[in-house]
Amino acid sequence: MHRFARFAFAAFACLAALSTGAGAPDVPPAAAIADAPAATQAPPAPATPAGAASPAGGRVATLKVFNRTITEFRSSFLGFLPEERTRRGADALRDILAESGPGEIAVKTIPQGRAITVDGKLAFILQPADVNDLGSETLDSKADHAAKALKRVVEETREARNVERLLGAFVKVAIGTAIALAILWALRRVRGWIALSLAGLASRHAGRLLVGGQAVVGREQVFTGARALTAGIYWLLVAAIVYEWLGFAFIQFPWTRPWGEGLQDATLNLASSAATDVAGALPNLVVAAAIFMIAAVATRTSNRFFAPFVAGESQSGWLDRDTALPTRNLTAAALWIFALSMAYPYLPGAQSDAFKGLSVLVGVMISLGSTSIIGQGANGLILMYTRTIRPGEYVRIGEHEGTVVELGAFTTRIRTGLGEELTISNSLIAGAVTRNYSRAVKGVGFVLDTTVTIGYDAPWRQVQAMLVEAAKRTSGVLDNPAPVVFQTALADFYVEYRLVTQAVPTDPRPRAMVLAELHANIQDVFNEHGVQIMSPHYLGDPAEAKVVPPARWHLAPAPPKDPPRG
C-alpha cells in the first residue's frame, strides 16, 4: 500500500509539473534555498516606486504549484526577471513540500517587501512593484492572498499522500461515472420516443400554417425538423452531463482540483449571470407580455366583428364576402405590428448595440429588396377593394383568358378552358385592360361572343337569323336574355357580324368548350343555308360558293353522325 501511495504521488506530481505555468524542470533548487538568507539580508535593490513602470517591461509571470495559482510577479528582483523568479519559486516550493513538514505559512516584512515562508524556509519574496496598480490591490493583500493559496497547496499535498483519501476519491469518481453513464443511456432511450412524439404533434398542426391556401411545410419536412430538434437537444444534454462529470471528477483529486473548481465556477457564474439578467428583465417582460395580451384580445375582437362578413351573412358598402377575409387579416397584422413596435423597447437585449445593428441591417435589406413586393401587394389591394375581378369570374387579361381561381396579395391565378392554370402578377393586371365576361351577366355564368365576316351579297337579316339559330343550338346558351347580333363594321369587301349571348353551364363547362361548340354550330347553319363565311379575308367572289353540303359533313374519319347535344 505504501508503494502504491508513492507511485500515485509521483504520477500526479509529474502531471502537475507538466501543467504548471512555470514550465521549469523538476530539479531541486538547492542553491536557491541555500542563498535564501543572503537574499533576505542583501542590500536593497534599486527600488521601483509603486506607481512607476515595471523594470521587467510590463511582463507578468504567474507562479503555479500543483495547478493552483499562488501569485504573480510583475517586476525584476536582484537581476532576475519575473519568469526566472517564477521558476525559482516553483522549484523551492516543490522541494519544501516534498519534506513533509508541518506546513506552517508565514508572511514576514523585510526591506524589499514581504517574504513568504513555509516551515521557516523562504519560498519567494513579493515587492511593491509586483502589485497591480490598476486595481485596489496592496502589497499586504497580495501577500495574504498568496499565503492562503499556499496553505491550500500544503493541505492538498498532504491529501495526495493519504492513500485512503485517494482510494475514496477513485470510488466517488467511479460512482459518478456510473451515474453519468446511466443518465446518458436513459437519454438515448428516450430520444427516439421524444422525436416520434414531436413529429406526430407537429404533423397534426402543420396543416394550419397556410400561405396562399397551401401548406408551408410537408410531412417529410416536419419529421426532419423534429429529428434535428431532438438531436440538438440530446447532444446539448450530453455535453452538459460530460461537463459536470469532468468538474466532479477533477475536484476529487488534489492535483486536478483547480481545474474542477474552474469548471464549477464557470457554471456558477453563467447561472448567476443568467439569473441576474432574467431577474433584471422580468419587469420589462411583464410589460411586453401585457402588450401582447392586449393585442391578442384586440385580434379576437376583430375576428368576431368580421366573422359574419367572411361567412357571407352580412354585407356593407365597403365590406363584403370577397374583401372581409383580407381585411380581417390586414387588421390582425396591423395590430400585431403595432404591438411589436410598442413592446420592442421592453424586449431583452433590445438596447444592446448588437440588437440595434441587426435591426438596422434587416431594415436595409427589407428596404432594398421589398420595392417590387410592396408594389405587388399594393396592386393586389387595389384589385381587391375596387372589385375589378373576383374569384369565379371569367376574365380576359391581355391575351390570357380564364376563370379566376384565386385573387392573392401578390399574384392572381386563373384557369383556362384548355386545362392550364396561369399565375399573373397583380402589377400586370393593374396595368392592362381587363375584360370581365361575368360581371354583366344575370346570375351565374359568363358572356359568350364571336365574330364572323360575310360578303355583301348575303342578306344581313338572314345572317343574323342564322347566328341566333347557331346560338340556340349550343348547349348552355340562355334563351333569356336572347342572343343579340351586332354589325360592328362595314369593311371594303365584307360585313362584320358579332354574336353576343350569355351562357350558364348547368354542369360546369369551361368557356372554351362552349365557344368551340358555338363555332361548330355556326359552320353547320351557314353550310345548311349555302352562305359562305368570308373570314378571315375576302378579296373577291369565287366561281363557286365555299360551302360544305350536308352530304359531306361526315366524311372519314369523322363519326357517321353528330353526338347528342345538351
Side-chain angles (χ1 to χ4, degrees):
M1 188 67 70
H2 185 63
R3 291 181 179 178
F4 174 77
R6 286 186 176 181
F7 174 77
F9 176 75
F12 282 102
C14 291
L15 177 64
L18 291 175
S19 60
T20 55
D26 231 332
V27 179
I33 298 176
D35 294 340
T40 306
Q41 302 298 329
T48 302
S54 171
R59 290 178 296 184
V60 178
T62 303
L63 173 59
K64 289 185 177 182
V65 179
F66 290 128
N67 300 316
R68 189 172 294 280
T69 300
I70 305 300
T71 190
E72 293 178 345
F73 297 119
R74 298 175 179 271
S75 63
S76 297
F77 181 71
L78 297 178
F80 296 109
L81 294 176
E83 293 82 359
E84 183 64 23
R85 294 175 64 191
T86 299
R87 286 194 292 270
R88 287 176 173 270
D91 292 340
L93 284 173
R94 279 196 292 270
D95 289 342
I96 294 171
L97 296 175
E99 296 178 0
S100 303
E104 296 181 358
I105 312 297
V107 179
K108 297 181 180 180
T109 302
I110 60 175
Q112 293 86 355
R114 302 292 183 271
I116 312 299
T117 63
V118 181
D119 295 334
K121 297 179 180 181
L122 178 65
F124 54 87
I125 294 175
L126 294 174
Q127 58 180 353
D130 292 326
V131 178
N132 185 8
D133 298 331
L134 299 178
S136 59
E137 186 181 52
T138 63
L139 183 59
D140 290 332
S141 64
K142 187 178 183 71
D144 291 340
H145 180 76
K148 292 178 180 178
L150 196 53
K151 186 177 180 180
R152 289 284 305 274
V153 171
V154 171
E155 294 174 353
E156 290 170 351
T157 303
R158 292 177 179 175
E159 183 181 348
R161 297 191 182 100
N162 191 324
V163 178
E164 293 181 358
R165 298 192 65 175
L166 289 177
L167 290 177
F170 278 114
V171 171
K172 290 181 181 179
V173 171
I175 295 174
T177 303
I179 294 175
L181 291 176
I183 295 175
L184 292 177
W185 178 83
L187 283 177
R188 187 175 182 84
R189 298 284 293 181
V190 174
R191 174 184 174 183
W193 177 80
I194 294 178
L196 291 177
S197 300
L198 285 177
L201 182 63
S203 62
R204 287 194 298 270
H205 297 281
R208 299 181 181 179
L209 185 59
L210 302 176
V211 173
Q214 300 293 328
V216 177
V217 293
R219 187 176 181 86
E220 185 62 29
Q221 289 80 5
V222 169
F223 279 111
T224 303
R227 284 196 299 266
L229 178 62
T230 307
I233 296 175
Y234 170 76
W235 287 113
L236 183 63
L237 292 176
V238 168
I241 293 171
V242 172
Y243 182 90
E244 291 299 324
W245 174 83
L246 283 175
F248 171 79
F250 285 158
I251 285 179
Q252 305 308 315
F253 301 99
W255 310 278
T256 58
R257 187 166 295 149
W259 300 342
E261 291 174 352
L263 292 176
Q264 287 193 347
D265 289 343
T267 303
L268 292 176
N269 291 336
L270 180 61
S272 176
S273 176
T276 303
D277 293 342
V278 170
L282 193 58
N284 290 338
L285 287 176
V286 172
V287 176
I291 293 175
F292 289 136
M293 289 179 63
I294 294 174
V297 173
T299 303
R300 288 199 190 98
T301 304
S302 172
N303 292 342
R304 291 194 188 97
F305 171 78
F306 288 107
F309 296 95
V310 174
E313 300 172 358
S314 300
Q315 185 173 348
S316 64
W318 64 278
L319 195 64
D320 55 14
R321 188 170 187 174
D322 296 328
T323 58
L325 183 59
T327 305
R328 186 192 69 181
N329 296 337
L330 289 174
T331 303
L335 288 172
W336 282 104
I337 292 174
F338 179 75
L340 182 61
S341 63
M342 293 295 295
Y344 174 82
Y346 301 98
L347 297 177
Q351 305 303 325
S352 64
D353 294 337
F355 203 91
K356 293 178 181 178
L358 182 62
S359 302
V360 173
L361 177 62
V362 173
V364 171
M365 293 175 61
I366 294 176
S367 300
L368 295 177
S370 63
T371 304
S372 60
I373 295 177
I374 293 176
Q376 296 280 7
N379 288 323
L381 293 177
I382 292 173
L383 295 176
M384 193 177 301
Y385 285 101
T386 57
R387 299 172 176 82
T388 303
I389 56 177
R390 294 176 179 176
E393 293 181 340
Y394 196 93
V395 297
R396 182 179 181 87
I397 302 171
E399 296 184 359
H400 308 288
E401 66 178 41
T403 303
V404 178
V405 178
E406 179 186 0
L407 178 60
F410 304 105
T411 59
T412 296
R413 294 189 297 120
I414 64 174
R415 184 172 294 133
T416 67
L418 304 177
E420 305 169 333
E421 186 171 285
L422 307 179
T423 301
I424 306 175
S425 65
N426 289 334
S427 59
L428 178 62
I429 299 175
V433 176
T434 302
R435 300 177 65 182
N436 196 320
Y437 294 101
S438 301
R439 187 64 55 86
V441 302
K442 296 180 180 179
V444 179
F446 48 81
V447 172
L448 202 65
D449 67 323
T450 188
T451 302
V452 294
T453 55
I454 308 299
Y456 283 99
D457 56 344
W460 63 267
R461 294 176 180 83
Q462 182 188 24
V463 174
Q464 290 187 1
M466 287 189 296
L467 289 174
V468 172
E469 176 63 22
K472 292 181 178 180
R473 292 184 183 184
T474 304
S475 59
V477 173
L478 294 180
D479 293 332
N480 185 20
V484 181
V485 179
F486 300 93
Q487 297 185 32
T488 56
L490 299 176
D492 292 338
F493 304 102
Y494 53 77
V495 180
E496 184 177 275
Y497 298 89
R498 184 170 184 177
L499 171 65
V500 180
T501 184
Q502 179 177 337
V504 179
T506 53
D507 50 341
R509 299 175 64 201
R511 184 176 183 272
M513 294 178 61
V514 182
L515 189 60
E517 183 180 347
L518 176 62
H519 287 163
N521 290 330
I522 289 175
Q523 294 180 66
D524 288 346
V525 171
F526 274 66
N527 286 327
E528 289 174 0
H529 294 84
V531 177
Q532 178 176 323
I533 299 177
M534 307 305 297
S535 299
H537 299 289
Y538 174 64
L539 297 178
D541 292 324
E544 297 181 359
K546 299 297 183 180
V547 295
V548 180
R552 301 183 57 196
W553 286 3
H554 300 284
L555 295 179
K561 59 184 302 186
D562 293 334
R565 297 186 178 92

